[in-house]
């Protein structure tokens, strides 16, 4: 599924120029606005991907060894 969440429609749906300006490795800019205190608010997200630790060892209840 294509997740276009930014205003720029570059490869992957993220704006490379915005990401370069913010320079947060692994995060992509999806929104920029001014708040009521005249501050700039930048909203970022990480790209979709697997969640959780790959190295986690999971076992079924009752099968754990001591």
């Amino acid at each position: 599924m294509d997740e276009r969440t930014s205003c720029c429609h570059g490869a992957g749906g993220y704006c490379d120029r915005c990401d370069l300006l913010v320079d947060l490795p692994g995060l992509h800019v999806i929104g920029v606005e001014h708040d009521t205190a005249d501050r700039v608010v930048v909203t970022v997200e990480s790209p979709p991907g697997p969640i959780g630790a790959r190295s986690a060892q999971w076992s079924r209840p009752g099968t754990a060894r001591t």
Side-chain angles (χ1 to χ4, degrees):
M1 179 196 299
D2 194 12
E3 295 185 16
R4 298 241 180 236
T5 58
S6 76
C7 60
C8 301
H9 299 291
Y14 298 110
C15 178
D16 291 335
R17 293 178 186 170
C18 295
D19 293 343
L20 181 63
L21 287 171
V22 176
D23 193 26
L24 294 172
L27 297 176
H28 300 286
V29 176
I30 61 169
V32 178
E33 59 189 324
H34 284 96
D35 68 5
T36 56
D38 202 29
R39 295 176 291 196
V40 174
V41 178
V42 179
T43 305
V44 297
E45 73 177 6
S46 59
I51 298 174
R54 292 179 189 242
S55 63
Q57 298 290 325
W58 297 98
S59 63
R60 293 179 302 202
T63 62
R65 296 182 181 165
T66 56

